[in-house]
Amino acid sequence: MKALLFIFLSFLSAEFSVVYSQTQTNDLQLAADTIIKKPINPLAPARAAFYSAIVPGLGQAYNKRYWKIPIVYGAIGTGVYFYTNNNQEYHRFRNAYKQRLKGLDDEFKGQYNDATLITAQRTFQRNRDLSLIVTVGLYVLNIVDANVDAHLKQFNVSDDLTFRPEIIPNSINQQQNVGLTMTYRF
């Protein structure tokens, strides 16, 4: 386990050092009153999605959105917790029902009848399956978030184009007028 962790951390540090060295050389440069922007890397979104598919949260770290990593692990961890809890309860009621069918005593003797044990099995099985679907959905959402965030990092947002809501008081009746302002500078 320690060897696997060491390999993972060395891979991660090597990848971040390559990315760091690339960003140092490709940052904005001033040349004859013109700002040359760094070129767009079209593979960055795919790389972020790949990293998130391998280890949840690694794509968010690649995008330098470190605050999202606890959210990813909290969401996936909650789904895994509910899956394991419902699976244990399902097997607990299932084993008790099997013991009753064999004619042996079980932990629910005198507390629940056979119909209640069957209903509890079905309920916990349904909740277990639903927890698995939700957990897989959250895992896929983690990958999609890393991909979309990497795409949006490459989106050109400058002061030349602004679009914002405006609230202007009316000079006649002093009520608020709501509108949108779009500014484009050449």
Side-chain angles (χ1 to χ4, degrees), residues 57-118:
L58 192 57
Q60 283 76 10
Y62 176 73
N63 291 332
K64 294 181 178 46
R65 303 282 194 234
Y66 303 110
W67 63 272
K68 290 183 179 182
I69 296 172
I71 296 171
V72 168
Y73 279 106
I76 293 175
T78 302
V80 169
Y81 168 76
F82 281 112
Y83 175 80
T84 56
N85 188 27
N86 287 316
N87 191 37
Q88 288 173 355
E89 292 296 317
Y90 165 71
H91 284 293
R92 184 174 155 212
F93 281 94
R94 183 172 182 244
N95 292 336
Y97 183 67
K98 283 182 174 181
Q99 292 292 335
R100 282 207 186 157
L101 290 178
K102 290 179 185 177
L104 302 173
D105 290 339
D106 60 274
E107 65 178 296
F108 302 115
K109 182 179 179 185
Q111 189 177 5
Y112 299 127
N113 59 13
D114 292 345
T116 306
L117 290 178
I118 292 171

Short mmCIF file of all heavy atoms in Angstrom, two decimals, residues 57-118:
data_model
loop_
_atom_site.label_atom_id
_atom_site.label_comp_id
_atom_site.label_asym_id
_atom_site.label_seq_id
_atom_site.Cartn_x
_atom_site.Cartn_y
_atom_site.Cartn_z
N GLY A 57 -11.56 13.62 -8.03
CA GLY A 57 -10.98 14.82 -7.45
C GLY A 57 -9.65 15.21 -8.07
O GLY A 57 -9.21 16.35 -7.92
N LEU A 58 -9.01 14.31 -8.77
CA LEU A 58 -7.72 14.64 -9.37
C LEU A 58 -7.88 15.60 -10.55
O LEU A 58 -7.01 16.45 -10.78
CB LEU A 58 -7.00 13.36 -9.83
CG LEU A 58 -5.54 13.50 -10.22
CD1 LEU A 58 -4.72 14.08 -9.08
CD2 LEU A 58 -4.97 12.15 -10.65
N GLY A 59 -8.97 15.51 -11.26
CA GLY A 59 -9.24 16.47 -12.33
C GLY A 59 -9.47 17.86 -11.79
O GLY A 59 -9.06 18.86 -12.39
N GLN A 60 -10.11 17.96 -10.62
CA GLN A 60 -10.31 19.26 -9.99
C GLN A 60 -8.97 19.82 -9.53
O GLN A 60 -8.74 21.03 -9.60
CB GLN A 60 -11.28 19.14 -8.81
CG GLN A 60 -12.73 19.03 -9.23
CD GLN A 60 -13.12 17.67 -9.77
OE1 GLN A 60 -12.38 16.71 -9.68
NE2 GLN A 60 -14.31 17.58 -10.34
N ALA A 61 -8.08 18.96 -9.05
CA ALA A 61 -6.74 19.41 -8.67
C ALA A 61 -5.95 19.86 -9.91
O ALA A 61 -5.20 20.84 -9.85
CB ALA A 61 -5.99 18.30 -7.95
N TYR A 62 -6.13 19.16 -11.01
CA TYR A 62 -5.47 19.55 -12.26
C TYR A 62 -5.94 20.93 -12.72
O TYR A 62 -5.17 21.72 -13.25
CB TYR A 62 -5.76 18.50 -13.33
CG TYR A 62 -5.22 18.83 -14.70
CD1 TYR A 62 -3.86 18.75 -14.97
CD2 TYR A 62 -6.07 19.22 -15.72
CE1 TYR A 62 -3.36 19.04 -16.22
CE2 TYR A 62 -5.59 19.52 -16.97
CZ TYR A 62 -4.23 19.43 -17.22
OH TYR A 62 -3.73 19.73 -18.44
N ASN A 63 -7.22 21.23 -12.50
CA ASN A 63 -7.78 22.53 -12.87
C ASN A 63 -7.50 23.60 -11.82
O ASN A 63 -7.95 24.73 -11.97
CB ASN A 63 -9.29 22.42 -13.09
CG ASN A 63 -9.63 21.61 -14.31
OD1 ASN A 63 -8.86 21.55 -15.26
ND2 ASN A 63 -10.79 20.99 -14.29
N LYS A 64 -6.83 23.22 -10.75
CA LYS A 64 -6.52 24.11 -9.63
C LYS A 64 -7.79 24.63 -8.94
O LYS A 64 -7.86 25.76 -8.51
CB LYS A 64 -5.64 25.27 -10.08
CG LYS A 64 -4.26 24.81 -10.52
CD LYS A 64 -3.41 25.97 -10.93
CE LYS A 64 -2.02 25.56 -11.33
NZ LYS A 64 -1.86 24.45 -12.20
N ARG A 65 -8.78 23.79 -8.85
CA ARG A 65 -10.01 24.07 -8.10
C ARG A 65 -10.00 23.16 -6.87
O ARG A 65 -10.80 22.25 -6.74
CB ARG A 65 -11.25 23.79 -8.94
CG ARG A 65 -11.30 24.56 -10.22
CD ARG A 65 -11.74 25.98 -9.96
NE ARG A 65 -12.11 26.62 -11.22
CZ ARG A 65 -11.61 27.74 -11.64
NH1 ARG A 65 -10.72 28.36 -10.92
NH2 ARG A 65 -11.98 28.26 -12.77
N TYR A 66 -9.09 23.45 -5.97
CA TYR A 66 -8.86 22.58 -4.82
C TYR A 66 -10.05 22.55 -3.86
O TYR A 66 -10.25 21.58 -3.16
CB TYR A 66 -7.60 23.01 -4.07
CG TYR A 66 -6.37 23.01 -4.95
CD1 TYR A 66 -5.76 24.20 -5.32
CD2 TYR A 66 -5.84 21.82 -5.42
CE1 TYR A 66 -4.65 24.20 -6.14
CE2 TYR A 66 -4.72 21.81 -6.23
CZ TYR A 66 -4.12 23.00 -6.58
OH TYR A 66 -3.03 22.99 -7.40
N TRP A 67 -10.85 23.60 -3.83
CA TRP A 67 -11.98 23.66 -2.92
C TRP A 67 -13.07 22.65 -3.30
O TRP A 67 -13.92 22.32 -2.48
CB TRP A 67 -12.55 25.07 -2.87
CG TRP A 67 -13.10 25.56 -4.18
CD1 TRP A 67 -12.43 26.20 -5.17
CD2 TRP A 67 -14.45 25.46 -4.62
NE1 TRP A 67 -13.26 26.50 -6.22
CE2 TRP A 67 -14.52 26.06 -5.90
CE3 TRP A 67 -15.60 24.92 -4.08
CZ2 TRP A 67 -15.69 26.12 -6.64
CZ3 TRP A 67 -16.77 25.00 -4.82
CH2 TRP A 67 -16.80 25.59 -6.07
N LYS A 68 -13.06 22.13 -4.54
CA LYS A 68 -14.06 21.17 -4.96
C LYS A 68 -13.73 19.75 -4.53
O LYS A 68 -14.62 18.89 -4.50
CB LYS A 68 -14.21 21.19 -6.48
CG LYS A 68 -14.84 22.45 -7.01
CD LYS A 68 -15.01 22.34 -8.51
CE LYS A 68 -15.67 23.57 -9.08
NZ LYS A 68 -15.89 23.44 -10.53
N ILE A 69 -12.49 19.48 -4.18
CA ILE A 69 -12.08 18.11 -3.85
C ILE A 69 -12.82 17.57 -2.62
O ILE A 69 -13.33 16.44 -2.67
CB ILE A 69 -10.55 18.03 -3.69
CG1 ILE A 69 -9.88 18.36 -5.01
CG2 ILE A 69 -10.12 16.65 -3.20
CD1 ILE A 69 -8.38 18.50 -4.94
N PRO A 70 -12.96 18.32 -1.52
CA PRO A 70 -13.74 17.78 -0.39
C PRO A 70 -15.21 17.55 -0.74
O PRO A 70 -15.83 16.62 -0.22
CB PRO A 70 -13.61 18.85 0.69
CG PRO A 70 -12.45 19.67 0.32
CD PRO A 70 -12.31 19.57 -1.16
N ILE A 71 -15.75 18.36 -1.63
CA ILE A 71 -17.15 18.16 -2.05
C ILE A 71 -17.28 16.86 -2.82
O ILE A 71 -18.22 16.08 -2.62
CB ILE A 71 -17.63 19.37 -2.88
CG1 ILE A 71 -17.64 20.63 -2.02
CG2 ILE A 71 -19.00 19.10 -3.49
CD1 ILE A 71 -17.88 21.90 -2.79
N VAL A 72 -16.32 16.59 -3.71
CA VAL A 72 -16.35 15.35 -4.49
C VAL A 72 -16.26 14.14 -3.56
O VAL A 72 -17.06 13.19 -3.66
CB VAL A 72 -15.20 15.34 -5.53
CG1 VAL A 72 -15.02 13.97 -6.13
CG2 VAL A 72 -15.44 16.37 -6.60
N TYR A 73 -15.28 14.17 -2.64
CA TYR A 73 -15.12 13.02 -1.75
C TYR A 73 -16.28 12.89 -0.77
O TYR A 73 -16.66 11.78 -0.40
CB TYR A 73 -13.78 13.08 -1.02
CG TYR A 73 -12.66 12.59 -1.88
CD1 TYR A 73 -11.75 13.46 -2.44
CD2 TYR A 73 -12.52 11.24 -2.15
CE1 TYR A 73 -10.74 13.02 -3.25
CE2 TYR A 73 -11.51 10.77 -2.97
CZ TYR A 73 -10.62 11.67 -3.51
OH TYR A 73 -9.63 11.21 -4.32
N GLY A 74 -16.84 14.01 -0.34
CA GLY A 74 -18.01 13.95 0.54
C GLY A 74 -19.21 13.34 -0.16
O GLY A 74 -19.93 12.53 0.42
N ALA A 75 -19.43 13.73 -1.40
CA ALA A 75 -20.58 13.21 -2.15
C ALA A 75 -20.42 11.71 -2.44
O ALA A 75 -21.34 10.92 -2.18
CB ALA A 75 -20.75 13.99 -3.45
N ILE A 76 -19.26 11.33 -2.95
CA ILE A 76 -19.06 9.92 -3.27
C ILE A 76 -18.98 9.08 -2.01
O ILE A 76 -19.52 7.97 -1.94
CB ILE A 76 -17.79 9.75 -4.15
CG1 ILE A 76 -18.04 10.40 -5.52
CG2 ILE A 76 -17.43 8.29 -4.32
CD1 ILE A 76 -16.85 10.42 -6.43
N GLY A 77 -18.36 9.61 -0.96
CA GLY A 77 -18.29 8.88 0.31
C GLY A 77 -19.65 8.67 0.94
O GLY A 77 -19.92 7.61 1.52
N THR A 78 -20.53 9.66 0.82
CA THR A 78 -21.89 9.50 1.35
C THR A 78 -22.63 8.42 0.60
O THR A 78 -23.33 7.59 1.21
CB THR A 78 -22.65 10.84 1.25
OG1 THR A 78 -21.92 11.83 1.98
CG2 THR A 78 -24.05 10.73 1.80
N GLY A 79 -22.50 8.39 -0.70
CA GLY A 79 -23.14 7.34 -1.49
C GLY A 79 -22.62 5.96 -1.14
O GLY A 79 -23.40 5.00 -1.02
N VAL A 80 -21.31 5.84 -0.96
CA VAL A 80 -20.73 4.55 -0.58
C VAL A 80 -21.18 4.14 0.81
O VAL A 80 -21.48 2.96 1.06
CB VAL A 80 -19.18 4.61 -0.68
CG1 VAL A 80 -18.54 3.40 -0.05
CG2 VAL A 80 -18.75 4.75 -2.12
N TYR A 81 -21.28 5.08 1.74
CA TYR A 81 -21.75 4.78 3.09
C TYR A 81 -23.16 4.22 3.06
O TYR A 81 -23.44 3.19 3.69
CB TYR A 81 -21.70 6.03 3.97
CG TYR A 81 -22.44 5.86 5.27
CD1 TYR A 81 -21.89 5.12 6.31
CD2 TYR A 81 -23.70 6.41 5.45
CE1 TYR A 81 -22.58 4.94 7.50
CE2 TYR A 81 -24.39 6.24 6.62
CZ TYR A 81 -23.83 5.50 7.65
OH TYR A 81 -24.52 5.32 8.81
N PHE A 82 -24.07 4.88 2.35
CA PHE A 82 -25.44 4.40 2.31
C PHE A 82 -25.55 3.06 1.58
O PHE A 82 -26.38 2.22 1.94
CB PHE A 82 -26.37 5.44 1.68
CG PHE A 82 -26.75 6.52 2.64
CD1 PHE A 82 -26.29 7.82 2.46
CD2 PHE A 82 -27.55 6.25 3.73
CE1 PHE A 82 -26.63 8.82 3.34
CE2 PHE A 82 -27.90 7.25 4.62
CZ PHE A 82 -27.43 8.53 4.43
N TYR A 83 -24.72 2.85 0.57
CA TYR A 83 -24.72 1.55 -0.12
C TYR A 83 -24.31 0.43 0.84
O TYR A 83 -24.98 -0.59 0.93
CB TYR A 83 -23.79 1.59 -1.33
CG TYR A 83 -23.67 0.24 -1.98
CD1 TYR A 83 -24.65 -0.22 -2.84
CD2 TYR A 83 -22.58 -0.60 -1.71
CE1 TYR A 83 -24.56 -1.47 -3.43
CE2 TYR A 83 -22.48 -1.84 -2.29
CZ TYR A 83 -23.47 -2.28 -3.15
OH TYR A 83 -23.39 -3.51 -3.72
N THR A 84 -23.21 0.62 1.56
CA THR A 84 -22.74 -0.44 2.46
C THR A 84 -23.70 -0.66 3.63
O THR A 84 -23.94 -1.80 4.04
CB THR A 84 -21.33 -0.13 3.00
OG1 THR A 84 -21.34 1.14 3.64
CG2 THR A 84 -20.30 -0.15 1.90
N ASN A 85 -24.27 0.42 4.15
CA ASN A 85 -25.21 0.28 5.26
C ASN A 85 -26.46 -0.48 4.81
O ASN A 85 -26.92 -1.40 5.52
CB ASN A 85 -25.60 1.66 5.79
CG ASN A 85 -26.42 1.57 7.05
OD1 ASN A 85 -26.33 0.61 7.80
ND2 ASN A 85 -27.25 2.57 7.27
N ASN A 86 -27.03 -0.13 3.67
CA ASN A 86 -28.21 -0.84 3.18
C ASN A 86 -27.89 -2.27 2.80
O ASN A 86 -28.72 -3.17 2.98
CB ASN A 86 -28.82 -0.10 1.99
CG ASN A 86 -29.53 1.16 2.40
OD1 ASN A 86 -30.27 1.17 3.39
ND2 ASN A 86 -29.32 2.23 1.67
N ASN A 87 -26.70 -2.53 2.30
CA ASN A 87 -26.30 -3.89 1.96
C ASN A 87 -26.18 -4.75 3.22
O ASN A 87 -26.61 -5.92 3.23
CB ASN A 87 -24.98 -3.87 1.19
CG ASN A 87 -24.64 -5.21 0.59
OD1 ASN A 87 -25.52 -5.92 0.12
ND2 ASN A 87 -23.37 -5.54 0.58
N GLN A 88 -25.60 -4.21 4.28
CA GLN A 88 -25.49 -4.96 5.54
C GLN A 88 -26.86 -5.27 6.12
O GLN A 88 -27.11 -6.40 6.58
CB GLN A 88 -24.66 -4.18 6.55
CG GLN A 88 -23.20 -4.12 6.24
CD GLN A 88 -22.44 -3.19 7.17
OE1 GLN A 88 -23.03 -2.50 8.00
NE2 GLN A 88 -21.12 -3.16 7.03
N GLU A 89 -27.75 -4.29 6.11
CA GLU A 89 -29.09 -4.52 6.64
C GLU A 89 -29.86 -5.52 5.79
O GLU A 89 -30.61 -6.35 6.32
CB GLU A 89 -29.87 -3.20 6.74
CG GLU A 89 -29.32 -2.26 7.79
CD GLU A 89 -29.43 -2.84 9.19
OE1 GLU A 89 -30.48 -3.42 9.54
OE2 GLU A 89 -28.45 -2.71 9.94
N TYR A 90 -29.69 -5.45 4.49
CA TYR A 90 -30.35 -6.42 3.60
C TYR A 90 -29.90 -7.83 3.93
O TYR A 90 -30.72 -8.74 4.08
CB TYR A 90 -30.03 -6.08 2.14
CG TYR A 90 -30.36 -7.19 1.17
CD1 TYR A 90 -31.67 -7.52 0.88
CD2 TYR A 90 -29.34 -7.92 0.57
CE1 TYR A 90 -31.96 -8.55 0.00
CE2 TYR A 90 -29.62 -8.95 -0.31
CZ TYR A 90 -30.94 -9.27 -0.60
OH TYR A 90 -31.22 -10.28 -1.46
N HIS A 91 -28.59 -8.03 4.07
CA HIS A 91 -28.08 -9.37 4.38
C HIS A 91 -28.48 -9.80 5.79
O HIS A 91 -28.69 -11.00 6.03
CB HIS A 91 -26.56 -9.41 4.20
CG HIS A 91 -26.16 -9.47 2.76
ND1 HIS A 91 -26.42 -10.55 1.95
CD2 HIS A 91 -25.54 -8.56 1.97
CE1 HIS A 91 -25.96 -10.33 0.74
NE2 HIS A 91 -25.43 -9.11 0.73
N ARG A 92 -28.59 -8.88 6.69
CA ARG A 92 -29.02 -9.21 8.06
C ARG A 92 -30.44 -9.77 8.07
O ARG A 92 -30.71 -10.83 8.66
CB ARG A 92 -28.93 -7.95 8.92
CG ARG A 92 -29.24 -8.15 10.36
CD ARG A 92 -28.98 -6.85 11.10
NE ARG A 92 -29.77 -6.82 12.30
CZ ARG A 92 -30.27 -5.75 12.85
NH1 ARG A 92 -30.06 -4.58 12.31
NH2 ARG A 92 -30.98 -5.83 13.95
N PHE A 93 -31.38 -9.10 7.41
CA PHE A 93 -32.76 -9.58 7.34
C PHE A 93 -32.87 -10.82 6.47
O PHE A 93 -33.68 -11.71 6.74
CB PHE A 93 -33.68 -8.47 6.83
CG PHE A 93 -34.04 -7.47 7.88
CD1 PHE A 93 -33.32 -6.30 8.04
CD2 PHE A 93 -35.10 -7.70 8.74
CE1 PHE A 93 -33.65 -5.39 9.01
CE2 PHE A 93 -35.45 -6.79 9.73
CZ PHE A 93 -34.71 -5.63 9.87
N ARG A 94 -32.06 -10.92 5.43
CA ARG A 94 -32.08 -12.10 4.56
C ARG A 94 -31.61 -13.33 5.30
O ARG A 94 -32.21 -14.40 5.21
CB ARG A 94 -31.19 -11.83 3.34
CG ARG A 94 -31.20 -12.94 2.34
CD ARG A 94 -30.46 -12.50 1.09
NE ARG A 94 -30.50 -13.54 0.11
CZ ARG A 94 -29.43 -14.18 -0.33
NH1 ARG A 94 -28.24 -13.85 0.11
NH2 ARG A 94 -29.54 -15.13 -1.22
N ASN A 95 -30.51 -13.19 6.06
CA ASN A 95 -30.01 -14.32 6.84
C ASN A 95 -31.00 -14.73 7.92
O ASN A 95 -31.16 -15.93 8.21
CB ASN A 95 -28.65 -14.00 7.45
CG ASN A 95 -27.57 -13.88 6.40
OD1 ASN A 95 -27.69 -14.44 5.31
ND2 ASN A 95 -26.52 -13.13 6.70
N ALA A 96 -31.68 -13.78 8.54
CA ALA A 96 -32.69 -14.11 9.54
C ALA A 96 -33.84 -14.88 8.91
O ALA A 96 -34.35 -15.86 9.49
CB ALA A 96 -33.20 -12.83 10.21
N TYR A 97 -34.26 -14.47 7.72
CA TYR A 97 -35.35 -15.18 7.05
C TYR A 97 -34.92 -16.58 6.64
O TYR A 97 -35.70 -17.54 6.74
CB TYR A 97 -35.82 -14.38 5.83
CG TYR A 97 -36.99 -15.00 5.12
CD1 TYR A 97 -38.24 -15.07 5.73
CD2 TYR A 97 -36.86 -15.52 3.84
CE1 TYR A 97 -39.32 -15.63 5.10
CE2 TYR A 97 -37.94 -16.09 3.18
CZ TYR A 97 -39.16 -16.15 3.82
OH TYR A 97 -40.22 -16.72 3.19
N LYS A 98 -33.68 -16.74 6.19
CA LYS A 98 -33.16 -18.07 5.85
C LYS A 98 -33.12 -18.98 7.07
O LYS A 98 -33.42 -20.17 6.99
CB LYS A 98 -31.75 -17.96 5.25
CG LYS A 98 -31.72 -17.51 3.82
CD LYS A 98 -30.26 -17.49 3.36
CE LYS A 98 -30.12 -17.18 1.93
NZ LYS A 98 -28.71 -17.19 1.50
N GLN A 99 -32.75 -18.40 8.22
CA GLN A 99 -32.73 -19.18 9.46
C GLN A 99 -34.14 -19.66 9.82
O GLN A 99 -34.32 -20.79 10.27
CB GLN A 99 -32.16 -18.34 10.62
CG GLN A 99 -30.70 -18.01 10.51
CD GLN A 99 -29.82 -19.24 10.66
OE1 GLN A 99 -30.19 -20.23 11.27
NE2 GLN A 99 -28.64 -19.18 10.07
N ARG A 100 -35.13 -18.83 9.61
CA ARG A 100 -36.52 -19.22 9.89
C ARG A 100 -36.98 -20.31 8.96
O ARG A 100 -37.73 -21.20 9.37
CB ARG A 100 -37.44 -18.02 9.76
CG ARG A 100 -37.37 -17.13 10.94
CD ARG A 100 -38.64 -16.38 11.13
NE ARG A 100 -38.44 -15.43 12.21
CZ ARG A 100 -39.12 -14.34 12.39
NH1 ARG A 100 -40.09 -14.05 11.56
NH2 ARG A 100 -38.87 -13.54 13.38
N LEU A 101 -36.57 -20.24 7.70
CA LEU A 101 -36.98 -21.29 6.75
C LEU A 101 -36.36 -22.63 7.12
O LEU A 101 -36.97 -23.68 6.86
CB LEU A 101 -36.59 -20.90 5.32
CG LEU A 101 -37.37 -19.75 4.69
CD1 LEU A 101 -36.84 -19.46 3.29
CD2 LEU A 101 -38.85 -20.07 4.63
N LYS A 102 -35.20 -22.63 7.73
CA LYS A 102 -34.54 -23.86 8.18
C LYS A 102 -35.13 -24.36 9.49
O LYS A 102 -34.83 -25.48 9.92
CB LYS A 102 -33.04 -23.63 8.36
CG LYS A 102 -32.29 -23.42 7.08
CD LYS A 102 -30.81 -23.19 7.37
CE LYS A 102 -30.05 -22.85 6.13
NZ LYS A 102 -28.64 -22.56 6.42
N GLY A 103 -35.92 -23.54 10.15
CA GLY A 103 -36.51 -23.92 11.43
C GLY A 103 -35.65 -23.59 12.62
O GLY A 103 -35.88 -24.08 13.73
N LEU A 104 -34.65 -22.72 12.42
CA LEU A 104 -33.75 -22.33 13.50
C LEU A 104 -34.16 -20.97 14.06
O LEU A 104 -34.94 -20.24 13.45
CB LEU A 104 -32.30 -22.26 12.99
CG LEU A 104 -31.73 -23.56 12.39
CD1 LEU A 104 -30.37 -23.30 11.77
CD2 LEU A 104 -31.65 -24.65 13.44
N ASP A 105 -33.63 -20.64 15.22
CA ASP A 105 -33.91 -19.32 15.81
C ASP A 105 -33.07 -18.26 15.12
O ASP A 105 -31.94 -18.51 14.68
CB ASP A 105 -33.58 -19.32 17.31
CG ASP A 105 -34.54 -20.17 18.11
OD1 ASP A 105 -35.65 -20.41 17.59
OD2 ASP A 105 -34.20 -20.56 19.23
N ASP A 106 -33.61 -17.04 15.05
CA ASP A 106 -32.88 -15.92 14.46
C ASP A 106 -32.92 -14.75 15.43
O ASP A 106 -33.56 -14.82 16.49
CB ASP A 106 -33.48 -15.53 13.11
CG ASP A 106 -34.93 -15.12 13.20
OD1 ASP A 106 -35.81 -16.01 13.16
OD2 ASP A 106 -35.18 -13.92 13.34
N GLU A 107 -32.25 -13.65 15.08
CA GLU A 107 -32.17 -12.51 15.99
C GLU A 107 -33.47 -11.75 16.12
O GLU A 107 -33.64 -10.97 17.05
CB GLU A 107 -31.05 -11.55 15.54
CG GLU A 107 -31.31 -10.88 14.21
CD GLU A 107 -30.23 -9.90 13.82
OE1 GLU A 107 -30.07 -8.88 14.54
OE2 GLU A 107 -29.55 -10.16 12.81
N PHE A 108 -34.41 -11.96 15.22
CA PHE A 108 -35.69 -11.25 15.27
C PHE A 108 -36.83 -12.15 15.74
O PHE A 108 -38.00 -11.82 15.51
CB PHE A 108 -36.02 -10.68 13.89
CG PHE A 108 -34.99 -9.75 13.35
CD1 PHE A 108 -34.27 -10.06 12.21
CD2 PHE A 108 -34.73 -8.55 13.98
CE1 PHE A 108 -33.32 -9.20 11.72
CE2 PHE A 108 -33.78 -7.67 13.49
CZ PHE A 108 -33.06 -8.01 12.35
N LYS A 109 -36.54 -13.27 16.37
CA LYS A 109 -37.58 -14.20 16.81
C LYS A 109 -38.49 -13.50 17.82
O LYS A 109 -38.03 -12.92 18.79
CB LYS A 109 -36.95 -15.43 17.45
CG LYS A 109 -37.98 -16.45 17.87
CD LYS A 109 -37.33 -17.66 18.48
CE LYS A 109 -38.44 -18.61 18.90
NZ LYS A 109 -37.93 -19.74 19.59
N GLY A 110 -39.78 -13.55 17.56
CA GLY A 110 -40.75 -12.94 18.44
C GLY A 110 -40.92 -11.45 18.21
O GLY A 110 -41.82 -10.82 18.76
N GLN A 111 -40.07 -10.86 17.38
CA GLN A 111 -40.14 -9.42 17.11
C GLN A 111 -40.83 -9.15 15.78
O GLN A 111 -41.68 -8.27 15.70
CB GLN A 111 -38.73 -8.83 17.13
CG GLN A 111 -38.68 -7.34 17.09
CD GLN A 111 -37.23 -6.83 17.19
OE1 GLN A 111 -36.28 -7.61 17.20
NE2 GLN A 111 -37.08 -5.52 17.28
N TYR A 112 -40.43 -9.89 14.72
CA TYR A 112 -41.01 -9.70 13.39
C TYR A 112 -41.53 -11.03 12.87
O TYR A 112 -40.96 -12.09 13.15
CB TYR A 112 -39.97 -9.17 12.40
CG TYR A 112 -39.38 -7.83 12.75
CD1 TYR A 112 -38.00 -7.65 12.82
CD2 TYR A 112 -40.18 -6.74 13.01
CE1 TYR A 112 -37.45 -6.43 13.14
CE2 TYR A 112 -39.64 -5.50 13.33
CZ TYR A 112 -38.28 -5.36 13.39
OH TYR A 112 -37.74 -4.15 13.70
N ASN A 113 -42.59 -10.96 12.05
CA ASN A 113 -43.06 -12.18 11.39
C ASN A 113 -42.38 -12.31 10.04
O ASN A 113 -41.58 -11.46 9.63
CB ASN A 113 -44.59 -12.16 11.26
CG ASN A 113 -45.09 -10.97 10.46
OD1 ASN A 113 -44.32 -10.29 9.81
ND2 ASN A 113 -46.39 -10.73 10.53
N ASP A 114 -42.70 -13.39 9.30
CA ASP A 114 -42.04 -13.66 8.02
C ASP A 114 -42.32 -12.58 6.98
O ASP A 114 -41.43 -12.19 6.21
CB ASP A 114 -42.49 -15.03 7.47
CG ASP A 114 -41.98 -16.18 8.32
OD1 ASP A 114 -41.08 -15.96 9.14
OD2 ASP A 114 -42.48 -17.32 8.13
N ALA A 115 -43.53 -12.09 6.92
CA ALA A 115 -43.88 -11.06 5.94
C ALA A 115 -43.10 -9.77 6.19
O ALA A 115 -42.67 -9.10 5.23
CB ALA A 115 -45.38 -10.77 5.99
N THR A 116 -42.88 -9.44 7.45
CA THR A 116 -42.12 -8.24 7.77
C THR A 116 -40.65 -8.40 7.37
O THR A 116 -40.03 -7.45 6.88
CB THR A 116 -42.22 -7.93 9.27
OG1 THR A 116 -43.59 -7.86 9.63
CG2 THR A 116 -41.54 -6.62 9.61
N LEU A 117 -40.10 -9.59 7.55
CA LEU A 117 -38.71 -9.84 7.13
C LEU A 117 -38.57 -9.73 5.62
O LEU A 117 -37.58 -9.17 5.12
CB LEU A 117 -38.25 -11.22 7.61
CG LEU A 117 -38.03 -11.39 9.11
CD1 LEU A 117 -37.63 -12.82 9.43
CD2 LEU A 117 -36.97 -10.44 9.60
N ILE A 118 -39.54 -10.25 4.88
CA ILE A 118 -39.49 -10.16 3.42
C ILE A 118 -39.60 -8.71 2.97
O ILE A 118 -38.87 -8.25 2.08
CB ILE A 118 -40.60 -11.04 2.80
CG1 ILE A 118 -40.29 -12.51 3.05
CG2 ILE A 118 -40.72 -10.77 1.30
CD1 ILE A 118 -41.41 -13.44 2.67
#
